[in-house]
Amino acid sequence: MEDWHVVTHGRSDTVVRRSPDGRCYAKSATSEPAKEELVAERDRLIWLCEAGLETAVVAEWYDGGDTWTMVTTTVPGIPASEVPPYATARATSSIAMYLTDLHDLDVDECPFDRRLEVTLPAAAEHVAAGLVDETDFDLSRLGRTAPELLEELHDGALRASLEEDIDLVVCHGDYCLPNVIVDPETYDVTGVVDVGRLGVADCHADLALMTRSMAARHLNPQYGLECAQRLLATYPVEADPWRLDYYRLLDEFF
Ligand SMILES: Nc1ncnc2c1ncn2[C@@H]1O[C@H](COP(=O)(O)OP(=O)(O)OP(=O)(O)O)[C@@H](O)[C@H]1O
Ligand SMILES: [Mg+2]
């Protein structure tokens, strides 16, 4: 794998590489938490493929030893974060359609649980284990500490838990522009990647992250607030601004 091109050195000891012919990606994990995340992602990719949604296909799996590696087939196209300014409206419609299809899957058929009863304790564990990157907080929260934010998360937990039951769907879990691949000519979504946090959760979890990704002028200036609003307007359920904020706060811990 020496001649494979390194794409990202993610957090938690994960490296993503692309094969020289561009047909495959390999994600390798070296630490125990990263290996656990890789297994979670592999199982979710297989499930999502079987559910009939476009995503990367698991081609090979190597475990044992210091490094575990998952090889997936390349989802053809470009990341939605690289769409040119004139095509962001078209891409936004496709991103909304993919989300609706994903959220239309039957939650009873999904074996992965990302409801607050799972994610809130996981957030607390991440804080306790020192895994939260305080330098990576959203601009509005920069300068605050992980324990402070955890307190805020707990303050809203009852309200968010009462409301999640009405809007439970199969969520991608990290639905942001770089994780959605689109056709460079039609801007139709060709598939999603990075599904390690897929599971049953409040639909606001996905709406929160994609609208934040679109509105992040420093990362994706070609989208902006207008695209974020268009996504929400297209979505079949009216979004609750309080929960959008809450799920962005929750994401700070992962
Ligand atoms: N199978 C694939 N097909 C197409 N592109 C892929 C594939 N796997 C990974 N990529 C590209 O590589 C990028 C990084 O992969 P991925 O998001 O899975 O890694 P990550 O370590 O979780 O990265 P990050 O922390 O930046 O999200 C993706 O945003 C995507 O552009
Ligand atoms: Mg990613």
Side-chain angles (χ1 to χ4, degrees), residues 35 115 126 217:
K35 286 174 181 173
R115 284 175 294 179
H126 284 189
R217 287 238 165 251

Side-chain angles (χ1 to χ4, degrees), residues 47-48 51 53 96-107 169-173 175 192 195 198-199 206 235:
W47 182 84
L48 191 59
L53 275 259
M97 271 163 55
Y98 187 92
L99 194 64
T100 310
D101 288 346
L102 176 67
H103 288 187
D104 273 347
L105 294 177
D106 185 353
V107 291
V169 295
V170 176
C171 279
H172 176 282
Y175 201 58
V192 293
V195 301
L198 177 145
D206 280 346
Y235 192 74

Side-chain angles (χ1 to χ4, degrees), residues 21 31 36 70 93 104 133 146 162:
D21 63 6
S31 71
E36 252 176 55
M70 173 174 73
S93 306
D104 273 347
D133 181 359
L162 289 172

